Amino acid sequence: MLKLLRKWLQACAMEEGRRKETVYGTPQGGVISPLLSNIYLHFLDSVWERQCARVGVLVRYADDFVVVCKSREAVEEAERRVRITLGRLELDLHPEKTRTVELADGKEGFDFLGGHLHARMSGRLLELKGIGRYYLQRWPSARSMKRVRTRIHELTDRRRQGAGDVREVIANLNPVLRGWGSYFCNGNAARKFNQVDSYVYRRLHHFMVQRKGRKLHFGEADEWTREWFWGKGLQRLRGTVRFPKPCMLPEKTIGKPYAGNPHVRFERRMVETGCA
C-alpha cells in the first residue's frame, strides 16, 4: 500500500494533453485526495484527542472539519489550537471557509459535506405541551440543490441529449436522483425532496411539450401528470427519507433518552443524544 501511494505521489500530471513533471503536491480534486488528506491530517486527530478533547468535539472528513464547542471562549481556544497544529504541518485554515456559527436557539446554521445543519424548534412539542425544544436538523444545502437542478436541466434538455423518447430521459435521470436521494435520505430533507420532484416534473413536462411541437393537441399536455411519468419508471424522492438507526448510549451516560424518533437535543448550549 505504501509503495502504491509513493508511486502516486511521484506520478506526473497531464495538462492539455501534455505531460508535466511535478516536484511536490497532488492534483486538485484527484480521486486519491481524500485518502492523502486522512493520512496527512491524522496528526491533527491524534493531537486533538490527546490534548484538546475538553475544548470541543472535532468532526473531520478528509480536509473538511467542524469543531463543536459549548461556549464562545471554547470556540476561540479551539481555533487557536487548530492553527497551531496545522502550522506544524505547514498548513493554514482557509480564510473564506472558516467561520464561527452559533447553533443555540436556531440562530445560525452551517454547511458541511453537502448538507445544511440547523437547529429547529419542535412544533409538535410546542403545540401539545408548550415546550420550546430545539433539535439539530440536516437537509441539502443551497449549493447541493443548485447542482442537482443543473444536472437535471442538462439531462432533460432535448437540444443537448437528442433523446426522442421520454423513457430514455427517465433512464438517464433515475441514477442521478437515486444517488443524490440516497446521500441525503437520512435527515430532514422531505421538503427539499419535494422541491426536486416538482422540478423534475416541470422539466419532463416541458420536454414533452417541446417534443410534440406544433403537433400538440388541445388538452393533450394535461395528460402528462406526475402519475403518468411515475408510470414510465421515474424515480421519486418523496417518501424516501429515513431517520438514522437509534443510537445506543452507555449505561453511565448522564443524559437520558427521550421518547420518539432518534434526535440530537440542544438545551442550554448542551448537546444530548437521545433515541427511542
Side-chain angles (χ1 to χ4, degrees), residues 57 67 80 95 103 135-136 143-144 149 157 161 222 271:
V57 178
V67 181
R80 186 186 69 85
L103 293 176
Y135 298 94
L136 185 65
R143 183 179 180 184
S144 296
R149 285 195 185 101
D157 192 341
Q161 299 300 324
D222 297 336
V271 181

Side-chain angles (χ1 to χ4, degrees), residues 121-133 259:
M121 182 179 293
S122 173
R124 184 176 180 84
L125 283 178
L126 185 63
E127 180 181 357
L128 297 179
K129 300 183 179 181
I131 300 176
R133 185 173 297 161

Side-chain angles (χ1 to χ4, degrees), residues 6 15-16 28 34 38 46 52 102 112-113 154 179 206 222:
R6 188 178 298 109
E15 292 185 0
E16 299 180 355
Q28 180 71 21
N38 284 332
S46 301
C52 313
E102 186 173 0
F112 186 56
L113 302 181
E154 294 175 352
H206 180 69
D222 297 336

Side-chain angles (χ1 to χ4, degrees), residues 68-69 103-106 118-120 132-137 263-272:
V68 184
C69 304
L103 293 176
D105 300 333
H118 209 119
R120 295 293 190 188
R133 185 173 297 161
Y134 287 86
Y135 298 94
L136 185 65
Q137 297 186 0
H263 61 264
V264 177
R265 174 185 173 189
F266 281 81
E267 184 177 7
R268 295 179 183 177
R269 294 186 178 180
M270 299 294 291
V271 181
E272 179 180 350

Side-chain angles (χ1 to χ4, degrees), residues 195-244:
Q195 293 176 6
V196 174
D197 279 343
S198 298
Y199 183 72
V200 171
Y201 166 70
R202 293 195 301 268
R203 289 298 305 169
L204 288 176
H205 193 276
H206 180 69
F207 172 85
M208 292 296 296
V209 172
Q210 281 189 326
R211 179 170 174 263
K212 283 289 184 177
R214 295 182 179 181
K215 297 180 181 180
L216 180 66
H217 300 293
F218 177 78
E220 186 177 4
D222 297 336
E223 300 177 1
W224 302 325
T225 62
R226 296 172 185 262
E227 290 75 12
W228 190 86
F229 289 113
W230 294 339
K232 299 294 182 180
L234 178 64
Q235 174 75 23
R236 281 189 295 179
L237 295 179
R238 181 181 179 182
T240 61
V241 174
R242 297 291 182 267
F243 290 99

